């Protein structure tokens, strides 16, 4: 049985614990700087809390790094020193320097280093991927993500989360857009240009952007856009691809759910499918962990690795920079 140590016992750690339990992975330790969080999770899943993360990592096969994105390097460095596989939540970091440091260090060690781009492991995404591979959609003309809803720092206490806490904050363009950028880039091709306007609604915390409008250009010539908001009173999302031979859209009445898949093809056929969106129950987290374990066992590349994570962060940074420059 493979053993992992969880570093960070907040909201996302619960999803990973559920997934790991279903996959038969032993959680040999849970570490958090906040022992209350670690204790609560450990009790729910019957796992030990550890006070020495280095010792715990040394005794496991892999580590799940689920801390806020600015608090990752010391755990990455430790896991690589002991040659342990790494699963790390997105975004990989806040600064590009941190991300590059991790990527460089990982290159020297023969371990898997997967980044949790959950969207890739949901049913709707997998159908679109298959249609693109089969040529059913043709070449990508346009790809888009429109995702709005109430989010952190909106209508609640500001400093009840690292997302809106000084010293941790990174804003939506880095945190949440990492999902959209990876979704678009992995389907429509590498982004070669990214420009945008970014806006925050919390005057006391200017680093906390919660509204973005971005324009993208893909390597293959397709164009793309991302509109996202964490301060919308209405929640909705629609994302899709307009291709030369067909178009597809995934949508849902929430910022996350994708319960409806619609497609039309040039030959007149169409698809309108209601997806059992079991995302809230953890479909994406289960499948991404299954993928991670399979890649470890079969020694095959994970696909969404630290290099992909660093590239996604670089695009978030480009959007932020262009907004600052007023382009
Ligand atoms: N893939 C997804 O769908 C998804 C969803 C939610 C969150 N996330 C990502 O997961 C990460 C964590 O988010 P969250 O929602 O779980 O946050 P959270 O605030 O709920 O949990 C973070 C936990 O990390 C702990 N922590 C902080 N600094 C630490 C340190 N230096 N060492 C050890 N523990 C530390 C905190 O005490 C807290 O328990 C973020 O990068 C976020 O973007 C991904």
């Amino acid at each position: 049985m493979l053993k992992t140590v969880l570093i960070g016992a907040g909201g996302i750690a619960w999803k990973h614990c559920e997934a790991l339990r279903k996959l038969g992975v032993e959680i040999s330790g849970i570490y958090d700087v906040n022992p209350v969080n670690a204790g609560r999770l450990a009790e729910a899943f019957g796992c030990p809390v550890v006070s020495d993360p280095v010792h715990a990592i040394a005794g496991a096969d892999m580590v799940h790094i689920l801390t806020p994105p600015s608090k990752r390097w010391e755990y990455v460095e430790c896991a690589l020193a002991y040659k342990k596989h790494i699963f790390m939540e997105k975004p990989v970091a806040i600064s590009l320097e941190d991300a590059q440091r991790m990527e460089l260090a990982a290159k020297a060690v023969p371990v898997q280093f997967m980044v949790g781009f959950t969207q890739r492991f949901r049913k709707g995404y997998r159908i679109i991927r298959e249609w693109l591979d089969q040529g059913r959609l043709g070449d990508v003309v346009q790809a888009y993500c429109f995702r709005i809803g109430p989010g952190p720092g909106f209508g609640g206490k500001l400093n009840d989360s690292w997302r809106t806490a000084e010293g941790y904050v990174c804003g939506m363009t880095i945190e949440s857009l990492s999902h959209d950028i990876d979704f678009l880039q992995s389907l429509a091709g590498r982004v070669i240009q990214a420009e945008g306007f970014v806006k925050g609604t919390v005057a006391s915390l200017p680093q906390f952007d919660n509204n973005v409008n971005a324009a993208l250009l893909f390597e293959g010539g397709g164009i793309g856009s991302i509109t996202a908001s964490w301060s919308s009173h209405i929640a909705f999302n629609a994302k899709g691809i307009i291709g030369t031979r067909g178009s597809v859209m995934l949508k849902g009445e929430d910022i996350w759910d994708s319960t409806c898949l619609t497609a039309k093809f040039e030959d007149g056929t169409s698809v309108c499918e209601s997806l059992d969106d079991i995302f809230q129950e953890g479909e994406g987290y289960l499948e991404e962990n299954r993928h991670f374990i399979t890649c470890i066992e079969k020694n095959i590349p994970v696909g969404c690795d630290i290099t992909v994570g660093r590239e996604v962060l670089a695009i978030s940074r480009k959007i932020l920079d262009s907004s600052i420059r007023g382009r």
Side-chain angles (χ1 to χ4, degrees), residues 4-20:
T4 191
V5 176
L6 263 57
I7 307 288
I12 199 63
W14 288 75
K15 301 284 185 194
H16 287 290
C17 277
E18 283 162 17
L20 291 164

Side-chain angles (χ1 to χ4, degrees), residues 10-12 32 37 68 72 75 89-90 118 162-163 175 285:
I12 199 63
D32 196 297
N37 288 1
R72 305 255 173 87
Y75 305 114
E89 265 305 338
K90 44 54 58 184
T118 331
W162 65 268
R163 291 176 174 85
E175 193 196 349
Y285 308 117

Side-chain angles (χ1 to χ4, degrees), residues 144 146 236-240 248-254 256-262 272-273 275 277:
Y144 56 91
F146 181 93
F236 180 74
N237 85 86
K239 46 197 165 203
V248 59
M249 182 196 283
L250 275 169
K251 66 178 172 151
E253 303 298 321
D254 184 76
W256 282 116
D257 286 355
S258 290
T259 43
C260 175
L261 175 87
T262 313
C272 185
E273 197 181 324
L275 299 177
D277 194 48

Side-chain angles (χ1 to χ4, degrees), residues 6-16 31-38 53 65-72 74-75 87-92 116-119 160-163 168 170 174-176 178-179 230 256 279 285 288:
L6 263 57
I7 307 288
I12 199 63
W14 288 75
K15 301 284 185 194
H16 287 290
Y31 175 76
D32 196 297
V33 286
N34 178 343
V36 174
N37 288 1
I65 304 177
L66 313 174
T67 51
S70 58
K71 307 290 170 194
R72 305 255 173 87
E74 64 178 295
Y75 305 114
F87 177 98
M88 192 167 79
E89 265 305 338
K90 44 54 58 184
V92 293
F117 287 119
T118 331
Q119 303 307 305
D160 57 0
S161 158
W162 65 268
R163 291 176 174 85
Y168 285 82
C170 68
I174 289 179
E175 193 196 349
S176 203
S178 59
H179 281 306
W230 268 349
W256 282 116
F279 181 62
Y285 308 117
E288 69 184 356

Side-chain angles (χ1 to χ4, degrees), residues 112-284:
Q112 301 284 6
F113 193 154
M114 178 168 161
V115 178
F117 287 119
T118 331
Q119 303 307 305
R120 292 186 185 212
F121 299 91
R122 296 174 72 182
K123 189 174 170 195
Y125 176 96
R126 284 183 272 147
I127 294 171
I128 299 176
R129 177 73 273 161
E130 205 175 300
W131 285 344
L132 280 165
D133 291 344
Q134 293 166 345
R136 285 191 74 189
L137 298 170
D139 297 329
V140 175
V141 177
Q142 181 163 190
Y144 56 91
C145 280
F146 181 93
R147 216 155 53 77
I148 60 169
F154 179 69
K157 267 200 353 237
L158 261 191
N159 280 335
D160 57 0
S161 158
W162 65 268
R163 291 176 174 85
T164 47
E166 293 279 359
Y168 285 82
V169 58
C170 68
M172 190 184 69
T173 307
I174 289 179
E175 193 196 349
S176 203
L177 251 63
S178 59
H179 281 306
D180 306 301
I181 294 166
D182 184 65
F183 178 93
L184 293 175
Q185 189 162 238
S186 61
L187 290 172
R190 216 163 60 82
V191 171
I192 54 169
Q193 205 176 332
E195 311 275 341
F197 286 111
V198 166
K199 196 167 168 61
T201 59
V202 182
S204 58
L205 197 59
Q207 313 94 302
F208 179 70
D209 64 81
N210 53 8
N211 282 272
V212 183
N213 256 302
L216 310 172
L217 180 64
F218 300 105
E219 198 168 33
I223 56 172
S225 63
I226 303 175
T227 295
S229 176
W230 268 349
S231 76
S232 167
H233 304 75
I234 296 166
F236 180 74
N237 85 86
K239 46 197 165 203
I241 305 274
I242 299 168
T244 50
R245 301 187 58 206
S247 299
V248 59
M249 182 196 283
L250 275 169
K251 66 178 172 151
E253 303 298 321
D254 184 76
I255 195 164
W256 282 116
D257 286 355
S258 290
T259 43
C260 175
L261 175 87
T262 313
K264 280 194 179 178
F265 301 98
E266 64 176 359
D267 61 7
T269 56
S270 60
V271 174
C272 185
E273 197 181 324
S274 194
L275 299 177
D276 280 340
D277 194 48
I278 48 172
F279 181 62
Q280 299 303 346
E281 284 90 57
E283 177 202 26

